[in-house]
Amino acid sequence: MNGNHEIMNIDGDFSFATKEGLQEFKDWAMWYCVGNDMKKLCDGLEKGCVKDLFEGIPFEFRGVNPEVLDGIRTRVAALRPNGPISERFLAKNQIVVVVGDSVFVHGGLLPKHVDYGLENVNEEVSDWICGLREKSFKDGEGRGFYCLVEEAE
């Protein structure tokens, strides 16, 4: 099940990421790139099976300390919509899970989400994670203090 921290990371908000967590992504990216280099040496692979991890990722982010810039770039590349980590490990996770008479969600639900349809919520978020659609929620929704449950008065 994906919660607010997964959504925040996919959306490029790493406010809870540590230096050590950024380093882990740098280490992962090094091996990902080694794998890509090895694939390039193989005959018979379909064109397009080797994707440049950093395609479209800026070399600078305003306000980011240069000491952690490579870690931020790598985390963005891995976790952005259609990124290799987000697509492989997060896209199949649901936001809302119904088991029998119980509903499981990280945080809470509002009546408008139930009215819209829990299957629709799960499908739209999954499609966004896979890069198949634009984000359908507003900035701030689903994030900690601004979580959907906080909207209920």
Side-chain angles (χ1 to χ4, degrees), residues 4 7-8 11 13 135 137 139-147:
N4 62 310
I7 298 303
M8 290 168 66
D11 202 28
D13 179 346
K135 177 174 70 170
F137 55 90
D139 284 341
E141 279 188 335
R143 296 179 180 197
F145 180 76
Y146 301 104
C147 151

Side-chain angles (χ1 to χ4, degrees), residues 7-70:
I7 298 303
M8 290 168 66
N9 275 268
I10 295 164
D11 202 28
D13 179 346
F14 307 128
S15 54
F16 292 99
T18 63
K19 282 185 181 180
E20 295 81 11
L22 296 175
Q23 182 61 49
E24 286 181 19
F25 272 89
K26 284 173 53 178
D27 294 344
W28 168 84
M30 187 269 302
W31 288 110
Y32 183 91
C33 292
V34 166
N36 272 350
D37 290 342
M38 292 174 71
K39 287 177 187 176
K40 291 174 187 174
L41 299 173
C42 297
D43 291 330
L45 289 178
E46 292 180 32
K47 287 191 179 223
C49 77
V50 177
K51 297 179 183 175
D52 177 5
L53 178 63
F54 295 101
E55 182 179 339
I57 303 297
F59 287 97
E60 294 179 351
F61 291 89
R62 189 178 74 226
V64 171
N65 181 337
E67 180 181 317
V68 296
L69 180 60
D70 289 340

